[in-house]
Amino acid sequence: MRIFVALNLPKKERTRIHRASARLREEVLPVRWIDPENYHVTLKFLGDVRQEHVLEVQEIVRRVAESTLPFDLTLGGFGAFPTVRRPRVVWLGVDASAELRCLKQDLEWGLADVGFEPETRAFHPHLTLGRADSRGGAGQFRGFDDVMAELDFSGRAAIHTLDLMRSHLSREGSRYSVLASARLTGR
Ligand code: 3AM
């Protein structure tokens, strides 16, 4: 099954983000907007993993969570990968705080021990708001940077768990479910 490790935000914060980003969705653009129930911050994408290895991953996630204290995520700033003119992913930025970078590193090390390739790309924590199809050319997204720049949002979300997620691919887009949730206890 297709799995990844992520941080989920309290419902209140997800609703605030959805409201704050409403202006983006008013633009007529080839973007598939994510439902607020599915907002999350991915820490590590693991791809298709066989059932017997899923338990192994779950154990690593639990161990990392046990050595991590609860912390706050700071959110703010809208942007897109790879660029706002030709976006694939439209996102809300997440502050790469020391806590978040430590957690990401602990996960990478733990998962490398059971054979998952460590990430070599720079860590740009973000919350995906939508997936764009920019094959129609950059012209479609003209002015989108100004719309983004007009938005003003800053958020804070208390994180108490590290979640192992499952991604279900379908024609309507991806749906996500929590496979296992490990409490951050910092023991
Ligand atoms: O949570 P976000 O939207 O940032 O883009 C996928 C999504 O990220 C990402 O994993 C999350 C859950 O599906 N993802 C999918 N395929 C990927 C890959 N091959 C990937 N991340 C890295 N490499």
Side-chain angles (χ1 to χ4, degrees), residues 61-128:
V61 168
R62 194 187 58 78
R63 265 200 343 238
V64 170
E66 262 186 1
S67 64
T68 304
L69 282 167
F71 65 101
D72 281 354
L73 275 187
T74 306
L75 308 120
F78 296 88
F81 293 141
T83 69
V84 177
R85 295 301 299 277
R86 275 185 182 275
R88 268 202 304 277
V89 171
V90 179
W91 46 254
L92 171 66
V94 175
D95 182 28
S97 64
E99 290 106 322
L100 188 55
R101 281 182 288 115
C102 278
L103 176 55
K104 163 76 174 164
Q105 195 57 63
D106 286 350
L107 259 182
E108 289 288 352
W109 279 329
L111 291 165
D113 282 348
V114 292
F116 288 93
E117 283 286 308
E119 178 65 68
T120 51
R121 295 174 303 182
F123 181 41
H124 290 295
H126 62 274
L127 182 151
T128 297

Side-chain angles (χ1 to χ4, degrees), residues 2-4 6 34 38 40-47 81 89 119 121 126-129 131 167 169 174 176:
R2 205 174 152 83
I3 61 172
F4 61 103
I34 307 282
N38 284 325
H40 62 264
V41 177
T42 295
L43 292 180
K44 177 79 174 170
F45 176 76
L46 297 161
F81 293 141
V89 171
E119 178 65 68
R121 295 174 303 182
H126 62 274
L127 182 151
T128 297
L129 298 169
R131 292 182 197 285
S167 164
L169 297 178
S174 302
Y176 309 113

